[in-house]
Amino acid sequence: MAIKLRVYQEEVVQTALRGENSIIWLPTGGGKTRAAVYVTKKHLETKKNAKVAVLVNKVHLVDQHFEKEFNPFLGKDYKIRAISGECDEKDYFGRVVKKSDVVICTAQILENALTNMDEDKHVDLTDFTLLVIDECHHTHKDGVYNKIMGRYVEKKLRKEGNLPQVLGLTASPGTGGNKTLDKAVEHVLQICANLDSVIVSTMEYKSGLLKVVPRPMKQYDIVEKRALDPFGDHLKLMMSMIHEFMPSTVSADLRQKGTQEYESDVVDLHKTGVVQENRLIAQCALHLRQYNDALLINDTVRMVDAFRLLDDYYKSKENKLLDGTDYFLFGLFEENRVELKQLASTPLYENPKLAKLEHTLLEQFKDQSSRGIIFSKTRKGTHCLHEWVSCNPELRRANICAGILTGAGMGANNMTQRKQKDTIKALRDGELNLLVSTSVAEEGLDIPECNVVVRYGLLTNEIAQQQASGRARAKNSVYSVVATDGGPELRKEHTNEYLEELTGKAIIQVQSMNPREFRIKIFEIQKTDVLVRMQAEKNREKKEQRYNPAEVQFQCKGCFTPVCYGKDIRIIENSHRVNINPDFQMYYKVGGQVYLERQFEDWEPGRVIECSKCGEHWGMEIKFKKVAILPCLKIQSFSMSTRQGKCSPKKNWSKVEFKVEEFDLIKYMEDHLSDLDD
């Protein structure tokens, strides 16, 4: 099938067609992927022994790019493979690459293959002649794109030959949160340095681009603050009672209830309680976070949704009460439960944002062909909004049929990849005409053109705002911001508008640089980054040696019970940390079976595990190589004690300060059989 480009697309691919590294900057819906397919086709036709890797940052984009773009145009003449964690081919990625002309994969698949020395799995960057990097603005900091490109830049600076050409695609590199032009220019230059590329956009055909991707009409649907909020006030009163239950020196520094700042404060307070082994403080902080989440839900959706959040939380705690703190916190909710439920059921005090959202949707869906997306911040909020839309009689009379779209994962509010695809297909086929979505729909997903996009109570950056706005691509479309008058969402939206303009100015300034000046600047940034990475690696290795694993004691963060030592931990496939000490079993109990959508080469999920004393969730059992059943641990569920004192729970295993040994299955089985003989 012939590939026909629009004139502005032809303009932006010229640098890539010359074999030079470049970043294509076009708005959402501008046809970046089609331009990349065109460049790939020309590259395959003209480059000897050409081999192309198309990298994406989300699993669902692998099949989407294969089915919608690369295979229709290139599949007849070239061998194209789509590989993600969902398919078995990732387990012999190196072999697949050798037999393919184009591989489309998640960046993590390539990163794993670059570090895996198994012949069937390993690849080198030099095995490819072209790297296409989708949503390349993610090439920064510790992201997987930047790990791959970090290797690329190091090879370049060492003057190693045969490096692939790079083609990045982005709707916006953003400003990196910077609010001055100089700093925004530095950020764009950093992205260019990370990708070893110039950034290109249409100069001659901006009007043509605007016809293809018209800007939606933006409207601010502003809501006055609730005049009365007895439900929220009652929650705050209960929170004050918990404050009084804690030492006065602890609660004095907490900021305004019902804000993100308060959430940050109680997260830190919980860490303090864990480090001090003060269960009163630690548990009060956990419960205060639940109340604060309820206040945020109350501000976003319905009072009844906020009530259910707390009600479900306390039902889960009913049989896990350990001490006086637990009995106080549980009793406080139970004493107020009936009154909270009554307040939550009073329509007079309902959230005025919902009335405004209803009005906006009814206006836009007067046209029966309308399609729309509501963007909400959290999975929980998204589910609550979807329920509200589905139960709203006025919206049902307007024939609004909503589906839900959230990120994939293992949690209760997560979706499977298959469910994501089915939901988008239902919207495309007209079975649904509205999606209620988290940020998963902002970037990359192939979603039919919408004539209404609503950002509902969101605090995100300028890139997310532009991505969301770009989903309103139908003619005469509307981009609505529903927010409280003078609230933080409104302030953030105005800031993002400024940053969007600043991004454009920064890119123009970078594009206007003298080519020699640009190359020198990029080289300086790259050289500095390599030195910083080298030092960071030394620091990491030094950090890993800080403690002897035998001296690091793990304690359940829920009840502070000592349960194991660092010497009991092993690592499997460079990702799973398991406990090999058979005595560890006495400290946990098992729950329900864990089911995952995808299958894995060497392991399968078992049952949930939790602390036998307090019920803290610790992770799950895994069956490795079909013979060894091992507890796989969540590091967030434990605090650690060393000779220098106690540490709060870590965010991830990479933060621990001792060396974790590789799991040796043969030794484990020998030891296990020996224990059985004894």
Side-chain angles (χ1 to χ4, degrees), residues 304-322:
V304 68
D305 298 313
F307 173 76
R308 283 178 191 162
L309 176 77
L310 284 174
D311 200 38
D312 290 345
Y313 178 72
Y314 280 98
K315 282 177 182 175
S316 73
K317 294 288 183 183
E318 194 168 5
N319 299 316
K320 300 174 182 177
L321 308 181
L322 288 185

Side-chain angles (χ1 to χ4, degrees), residues 604 622-630 663 665 668-669:
E604 58 189 81
I622 63 172
K623 182 183 283 189
F624 186 64
K625 298 283 189 181
K626 300 189 182 301
V627 291
I629 298 177
L630 303 160
F663 178 68
L665 179 62
Y668 172 82
M669 294 306 295

Side-chain angles (χ1 to χ4, degrees), residues 209-216 472-477:
L209 174 61
L210 197 58
K211 288 178 183 176
V212 174
V213 191
R215 298 282 289 187
R473 301 206 292 266
K475 189 177 180 182
N476 301 321
S477 56

Side-chain angles (χ1 to χ4, degrees), residues 146-158:
N146 214 26
K147 289 179 181 178
I148 293 168
M149 287 307 301
R151 290 189 181 85
Y152 182 104
V153 169
E154 287 179 28
K155 286 177 178 289
K156 173 203 167 184
L157 294 183
R158 291 197 298 263

